[in-house]
């Protein structure tokens, strides 16, 4: 009898310990506990040590942290009939643990499916140029649509970003040719503007030299000095300088002929001295 009583006592202690362990739940700081009793929600438990009634109660622990969900690549046709493959990433978090457990069965699967559908619908309403240039606008549109849908699930979508845009090879080549043509156009415009400014500057310089003829001679002399620095054996004289030298030579010749002409004072004096 004593052995039977001792055995019952030990069994009772073991059962009590097991029941105590089964009734203890720990809710982490980043979690909220949805407390069910006989299938009905009786409250949302905050982080800490929580006691439940074994068998009768159940405690669902829901993470409140931000979840990163990649949206797999989708084959989408844009408004201008270009086929692109777009992948994205969505960030969401549970804000109402009761709704996230009671209203919807699997939050992650639901967010994944609705994000893929919304991505196709939104991108399909834009042209390829808008998809490439206005990603922030498209991200905002996708987020607004997801927020309007997921608010009933107790979930908040914090951010949606287009992660990768894959274009067909033919479209890549066409865009490369377009970019090359655009750069060539810019280069030609810049070169034309430079020529126009250079022509205007040369026109101003020529006007200045017309008003001041010696300026051209000074420029020619400066050019000769620059040629002389290189120690060249051949010097090319500018045509205006050669004209100036020819005019100077002709002037000296005329002066010489005039001095030798009859009736010139010096010639008369020389003849008088000879007669004497």
């Amino acid at each position: 009898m004593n052995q039977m009583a001792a055995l019952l006592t030990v069994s009772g202690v073991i059962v009590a310990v097991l029941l105590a362990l089964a009734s203890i739940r720990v809710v982490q700081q980043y979690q909220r506990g949805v407390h069910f009793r006989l299938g009905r929600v009786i409250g949302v438990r905050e982080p800490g040590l929580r006691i439940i009634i074994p068998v009768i109660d159940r405690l669902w622990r829901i993470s409140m942290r931000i979840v990163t969900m990649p949206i797999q690549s989708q084959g989408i046709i844009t408004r201008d009939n270009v086929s692109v493959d777009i992948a994205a990433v969505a960030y969401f978090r549970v804000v109402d643990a009761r709704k996230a457990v009671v209203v919807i069965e699997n939050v992650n699967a639901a967010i994944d499916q609705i994000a893929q559908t919304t991505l196709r619908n939104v991108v399909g309403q834009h042209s390829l140029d808008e998809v490439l240039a206005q990603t922030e606008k498209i991200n905002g549109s996708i987020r607004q649509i997801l927020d309007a849908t997921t608010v009933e699930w107790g979930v908040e979508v914090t951010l949606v970003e287009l992660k990768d845009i894959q274009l067909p090879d033919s479209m890549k080549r066409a865009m490369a040719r377009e970019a090359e043509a655009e750069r060539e156009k810019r280069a030609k415009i810049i070169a034309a503007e430079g020529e126009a400014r250079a022509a205007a500057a040369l026109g101003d310089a020529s006007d200045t030299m017309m008003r001041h003829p010696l300026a051209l001679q000074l420029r020619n002399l400066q050019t000769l000095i620059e040629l002389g620095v290189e120690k060249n054996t051949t010097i090319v004289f500018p045509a205006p300088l050669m004209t100036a030298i020819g005019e100077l030579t002709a002037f000296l010749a005329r002066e010489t002929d005039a001095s030798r002409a009859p009736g010139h004072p010096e010639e008369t004096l020389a003849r008088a001295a000879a007669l004497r």
Side-chain angles (χ1 to χ4, degrees):
M1 293 294 295
N2 293 333
Q3 291 181 353
M4 183 63 67
L7 182 59
L8 292 174
T9 301
V10 172
S11 300
V13 171
I14 292 175
V15 170
V17 171
L18 292 176
L19 290 175
L21 293 176
S23 63
I24 296 174
R25 296 289 185 274
V26 176
V27 180
Q28 302 293 337
Q29 181 64 41
Y30 55 86
Q31 295 176 332
R32 296 295 183 272
V34 181
H35 194 173
F36 287 85
R37 177 165 294 171
L38 297 177
R40 298 182 61 182
V41 177
I42 63 174
V44 177
R45 306 307 178 193
E46 295 295 325
L49 183 65
R50 300 301 169 189
I51 306 298
I52 64 173
I53 301 174
V55 181
I56 297 176
D57 292 349
R58 294 186 63 186
L59 188 69
W60 286 78
R61 284 167 288 196
I62 304 299
S63 176
M64 308 297 288
R65 293 179 293 184
I66 295 177
V67 178
T68 302
M69 174 174 289
I71 303 173
Q72 62 183 359
S73 180
Q74 303 290 310
I76 305 171
I77 298 178
T78 61
R79 190 178 62 187
D80 50 353
N81 298 323
V82 178
S83 178
V84 294
D85 293 333
I86 299 180
V89 60
Y91 299 87
F92 67 91
R93 64 188 181 94
V94 176
V95 294
D96 191 330
R98 182 193 297 265
K99 290 183 178 180
V101 173
V102 176
V103 175
I104 191 165
E105 180 180 0
N106 190 327
V107 173
N108 291 346
I111 294 292
D112 186 23
Q113 295 300 318
I114 193 65
Q116 293 181 28
T117 304
T118 304
L119 177 63
R120 286 194 296 268
N121 292 338
V122 172
V123 173
Q125 298 174 3
H126 294 78
S127 64
L128 178 60
D129 291 339
E130 292 174 347
V131 172
L132 297 176
Q134 301 179 9
T135 55
E136 293 183 2
K137 179 181 178 180
I138 296 175
N139 294 337
S141 300
I142 296 174
R143 178 185 173 186
Q144 290 178 0
I145 295 173
L146 291 179
D147 273 338
T149 305
T150 60
V151 66
E152 299 296 332
W153 305 342
V155 177
E156 178 188 10
V157 178
T158 58
L159 184 64
V160 176
E161 290 287 342
L162 299 181
K163 183 173 63 174
D164 187 21
I165 301 176
Q166 294 291 336
L167 301 176
D169 293 338
S170 59
M171 182 58 63
K172 291 180 180 179
R173 290 192 294 268
M175 295 178 66
R177 290 194 299 269
E178 180 183 0
E180 184 178 357
E182 180 67 23
R183 291 185 178 275
E184 289 181 356
K185 182 187 75 173
R186 294 180 183 176
K188 290 180 180 178
I189 292 175
I190 294 173
E193 291 178 351
E195 292 292 339
R197 293 182 181 179
L202 290 174
D204 294 339
S206 63
D207 292 340
T208 302
M209 290 181 180
M210 288 293 293
R211 292 193 300 268
H212 305 282
L214 291 179
L216 180 59
Q217 302 300 328
L218 294 175
R219 180 58 183 162
N220 292 333
L221 292 175
Q222 184 179 2
T223 303
L224 292 176
I225 294 174
E226 293 175 357
L227 292 174
V229 172
E230 300 296 332
K231 298 181 180 179
N232 295 324
T233 58
T234 303
I235 298 178
V236 179
F237 290 92
L241 182 60
M242 296 301 296
T243 302
I245 294 174
E247 292 177 355
L248 181 60
T249 304
F251 173 75
L252 294 176
R254 288 196 302 269
E255 290 295 324
T256 303
D257 293 340
S259 64
R260 294 177 179 177
H264 192 275
E266 295 180 355
E267 186 68 22
T268 303
L269 294 175
R271 288 181 179 180
L275 292 175
R276 293 177 184 178

